[in-house]
Amino acid sequence: MSEKLYLDDLYVGQKFVSEGYPLDEAQIIAYARQFDPQVFHLDPEAAKHTFFQGLAASGWHTASISMLLVTQSIPLADGVIGGGMEELAWPQPTRPGDVLQVESEIVEIIPSQSKPNRALVRVLSHTRNQRGEVLQRFRPKMVCFKRPA
């Protein structure tokens, strides 16, 4: 979808689906080295003896990829501007070889009482792998603007 969307174009129940994003072991380890240096994100052999029983991407890595996919799949004219997060959960780990895809649905549009040109848009998003398993569930609120007059 290349058309830029404004608040006027959005409605409750509207759905968006991203392209797939392949994730490999090298990406998981590189992200972990820089941002989340824990053994279950860094060492495939040592990770076998941890809670995750194998190499797992940092939840923050999954969240970062999810953000990329949201910005690509919900083409808001003024950008994806965060207005808060109501939920962020990782029901199961993201693994090397997973192909991530984000499915998002608008669940509520809350017009601003003080600024009539904008609203908070509540979204429910699921990041799934190639088997359809939910790796991340999140409920962001996005600030959206009406089309300029």
Short mmCIF file of all heavy atoms in Angstrom, two decimals, residues 31-54:
data_model
loop_
_atom_site.label_atom_id
_atom_site.label_comp_id
_atom_site.label_asym_id
_atom_site.label_seq_id
_atom_site.Cartn_x
_atom_site.Cartn_y
_atom_site.Cartn_z
N TYR A 31 22.23 -8.09 17.28
CA TYR A 31 21.35 -7.22 18.07
C TYR A 31 21.65 -7.40 19.56
O TYR A 31 21.78 -6.42 20.30
CB TYR A 31 19.89 -7.53 17.77
CG TYR A 31 18.93 -6.59 18.47
CD1 TYR A 31 18.42 -5.50 17.80
CD2 TYR A 31 18.54 -6.79 19.78
CE1 TYR A 31 17.55 -4.61 18.42
CE2 TYR A 31 17.67 -5.92 20.41
CZ TYR A 31 17.17 -4.84 19.73
OH TYR A 31 16.32 -3.97 20.37
N ALA A 32 21.76 -8.64 19.97
CA ALA A 32 22.01 -8.93 21.39
C ALA A 32 23.34 -8.35 21.87
O ALA A 32 23.42 -7.81 22.97
CB ALA A 32 21.96 -10.44 21.64
N ARG A 33 24.37 -8.47 21.06
CA ARG A 33 25.67 -7.90 21.45
C ARG A 33 25.55 -6.42 21.76
O ARG A 33 26.16 -5.92 22.69
CB ARG A 33 26.68 -8.09 20.32
CG ARG A 33 27.34 -9.41 20.32
CD ARG A 33 28.55 -9.43 19.37
NE ARG A 33 29.02 -10.79 19.25
CZ ARG A 33 29.09 -11.47 18.12
NH1 ARG A 33 28.74 -10.91 16.98
NH2 ARG A 33 29.51 -12.71 18.10
N GLN A 34 24.76 -5.72 20.97
CA GLN A 34 24.65 -4.27 21.13
C GLN A 34 23.63 -3.87 22.20
O GLN A 34 23.86 -2.91 22.93
CB GLN A 34 24.29 -3.62 19.80
CG GLN A 34 24.34 -2.11 19.85
CD GLN A 34 24.27 -1.47 18.49
OE1 GLN A 34 24.07 -2.15 17.48
NE2 GLN A 34 24.42 -0.18 18.45
N PHE A 35 22.52 -4.60 22.31
CA PHE A 35 21.42 -4.09 23.14
C PHE A 35 20.94 -5.01 24.27
O PHE A 35 20.27 -4.53 25.19
CB PHE A 35 20.21 -3.77 22.25
CG PHE A 35 20.48 -2.71 21.24
CD1 PHE A 35 20.59 -3.02 19.89
CD2 PHE A 35 20.65 -1.38 21.62
CE1 PHE A 35 20.84 -2.04 18.95
CE2 PHE A 35 20.90 -0.39 20.69
CZ PHE A 35 21.00 -0.72 19.35
N ASP A 36 21.21 -6.30 24.20
CA ASP A 36 20.67 -7.23 25.20
C ASP A 36 21.61 -8.42 25.35
O ASP A 36 21.27 -9.55 25.03
CB ASP A 36 19.27 -7.68 24.79
CG ASP A 36 18.49 -8.35 25.91
OD1 ASP A 36 19.06 -8.59 26.99
OD2 ASP A 36 17.29 -8.66 25.69
N PRO A 37 22.84 -8.17 25.87
CA PRO A 37 23.88 -9.20 25.89
C PRO A 37 23.66 -10.27 26.98
O PRO A 37 24.30 -10.24 28.04
CB PRO A 37 25.16 -8.40 26.12
CG PRO A 37 24.70 -7.19 26.89
CD PRO A 37 23.32 -6.89 26.38
N GLN A 38 22.76 -11.19 26.69
CA GLN A 38 22.51 -12.30 27.60
C GLN A 38 22.78 -13.61 26.84
O GLN A 38 22.56 -13.68 25.63
CB GLN A 38 21.08 -12.26 28.11
CG GLN A 38 20.81 -10.95 28.89
CD GLN A 38 19.46 -11.00 29.54
OE1 GLN A 38 19.29 -11.69 30.54
NE2 GLN A 38 18.50 -10.29 28.97
N VAL A 39 23.21 -14.62 27.57
CA VAL A 39 23.67 -15.86 26.96
C VAL A 39 22.65 -16.49 26.03
O VAL A 39 23.00 -17.02 24.98
CB VAL A 39 24.16 -16.86 28.03
CG1 VAL A 39 23.01 -17.36 28.89
CG2 VAL A 39 24.92 -18.00 27.41
N PHE A 40 21.36 -16.42 26.37
CA PHE A 40 20.34 -17.07 25.53
C PHE A 40 20.08 -16.31 24.24
O PHE A 40 19.37 -16.80 23.36
CB PHE A 40 19.03 -17.30 26.30
CG PHE A 40 18.67 -16.22 27.27
CD1 PHE A 40 18.08 -15.04 26.86
CD2 PHE A 40 18.92 -16.39 28.62
CE1 PHE A 40 17.74 -14.06 27.75
CE2 PHE A 40 18.59 -15.42 29.54
CZ PHE A 40 18.00 -14.23 29.10
N HIS A 41 20.67 -15.10 24.10
CA HIS A 41 20.59 -14.34 22.86
C HIS A 41 21.92 -14.37 22.09
O HIS A 41 21.95 -13.98 20.92
CB HIS A 41 20.26 -12.87 23.12
CG HIS A 41 18.99 -12.63 23.86
ND1 HIS A 41 17.82 -13.31 23.61
CD2 HIS A 41 18.70 -11.75 24.85
CE1 HIS A 41 16.87 -12.87 24.43
NE2 HIS A 41 17.39 -11.91 25.18
N LEU A 42 22.98 -14.81 22.75
CA LEU A 42 24.32 -14.69 22.17
C LEU A 42 24.99 -16.01 21.77
O LEU A 42 25.78 -16.04 20.83
CB LEU A 42 25.26 -14.01 23.18
CG LEU A 42 24.98 -12.54 23.47
CD1 LEU A 42 25.79 -12.08 24.67
CD2 LEU A 42 25.29 -11.70 22.24
N ASP A 43 24.72 -17.08 22.50
CA ASP A 43 25.47 -18.33 22.33
C ASP A 43 24.52 -19.50 22.10
O ASP A 43 23.88 -19.97 23.04
CB ASP A 43 26.32 -18.56 23.58
CG ASP A 43 27.23 -19.77 23.48
OD1 ASP A 43 26.89 -20.73 22.77
OD2 ASP A 43 28.28 -19.76 24.14
N PRO A 44 24.42 -19.99 20.86
CA PRO A 44 23.48 -21.06 20.55
C PRO A 44 23.67 -22.32 21.41
O PRO A 44 22.69 -22.94 21.82
CB PRO A 44 23.74 -21.38 19.08
CG PRO A 44 24.34 -20.13 18.53
CD PRO A 44 25.13 -19.52 19.66
N GLU A 45 24.91 -22.68 21.71
CA GLU A 45 25.16 -23.88 22.52
C GLU A 45 24.78 -23.66 23.98
O GLU A 45 24.07 -24.48 24.58
CB GLU A 45 26.63 -24.32 22.41
CG GLU A 45 26.94 -25.11 21.17
CD GLU A 45 26.04 -26.33 20.99
OE1 GLU A 45 25.92 -27.16 21.93
OE2 GLU A 45 25.44 -26.47 19.91
N ALA A 46 25.25 -22.58 24.56
CA ALA A 46 24.93 -22.30 25.97
C ALA A 46 23.42 -22.05 26.14
O ALA A 46 22.86 -22.39 27.19
CB ALA A 46 25.73 -21.09 26.45
N ALA A 47 22.77 -21.50 25.13
CA ALA A 47 21.35 -21.20 25.21
C ALA A 47 20.50 -22.45 25.37
O ALA A 47 19.40 -22.41 25.92
CB ALA A 47 20.90 -20.42 23.96
N LYS A 48 21.03 -23.61 24.94
CA LYS A 48 20.29 -24.87 25.08
C LYS A 48 20.02 -25.22 26.54
O LYS A 48 19.10 -25.97 26.84
CB LYS A 48 21.07 -26.01 24.41
CG LYS A 48 21.13 -25.90 22.91
CD LYS A 48 21.98 -27.02 22.32
CE LYS A 48 22.12 -26.85 20.81
NZ LYS A 48 23.02 -27.87 20.24
N HIS A 49 20.83 -24.67 27.45
CA HIS A 49 20.73 -25.00 28.88
C HIS A 49 20.05 -23.88 29.67
O HIS A 49 20.23 -23.79 30.88
CB HIS A 49 22.13 -25.29 29.44
CG HIS A 49 22.86 -26.32 28.64
ND1 HIS A 49 22.52 -27.65 28.65
CD2 HIS A 49 23.87 -26.20 27.75
CE1 HIS A 49 23.31 -28.32 27.82
NE2 HIS A 49 24.14 -27.45 27.26
N THR A 50 19.30 -23.04 28.98
CA THR A 50 18.61 -21.93 29.64
C THR A 50 17.09 -22.14 29.57
O THR A 50 16.61 -23.11 28.96
CB THR A 50 18.94 -20.58 28.96
OG1 THR A 50 18.33 -20.55 27.65
CG2 THR A 50 20.45 -20.36 28.86
N PHE A 51 16.38 -21.23 30.15
CA PHE A 51 14.92 -21.22 30.11
C PHE A 51 14.39 -21.40 28.69
O PHE A 51 13.39 -22.08 28.46
CB PHE A 51 14.42 -19.89 30.70
CG PHE A 51 12.95 -19.64 30.55
CD1 PHE A 51 12.05 -20.19 31.44
CD2 PHE A 51 12.47 -18.85 29.51
CE1 PHE A 51 10.69 -19.97 31.29
CE2 PHE A 51 11.12 -18.61 29.37
CZ PHE A 51 10.22 -19.18 30.26
N PHE A 52 15.06 -20.80 27.71
CA PHE A 52 14.59 -20.81 26.32
C PHE A 52 14.94 -22.09 25.57
O PHE A 52 14.44 -22.33 24.48
CB PHE A 52 15.13 -19.59 25.56
CG PHE A 52 14.58 -18.30 26.08
CD1 PHE A 52 15.36 -17.46 26.87
CD2 PHE A 52 13.28 -17.93 25.80
CE1 PHE A 52 14.85 -16.28 27.36
CE2 PHE A 52 12.76 -16.74 26.29
CZ PHE A 52 13.54 -15.92 27.07
N GLN A 53 15.84 -22.90 26.09
CA GLN A 53 16.26 -24.17 25.50
C GLN A 53 16.72 -24.01 24.05
O GLN A 53 16.46 -24.85 23.21
CB GLN A 53 15.15 -25.21 25.60
CG GLN A 53 14.77 -25.49 27.03
CD GLN A 53 13.66 -26.51 27.15
OE1 GLN A 53 12.92 -26.78 26.20
NE2 GLN A 53 13.54 -27.10 28.33
N GLY A 54 17.40 -22.91 23.79
CA GLY A 54 17.93 -22.63 22.46
C GLY A 54 18.02 -21.14 22.24
O GLY A 54 17.49 -20.35 23.03
#
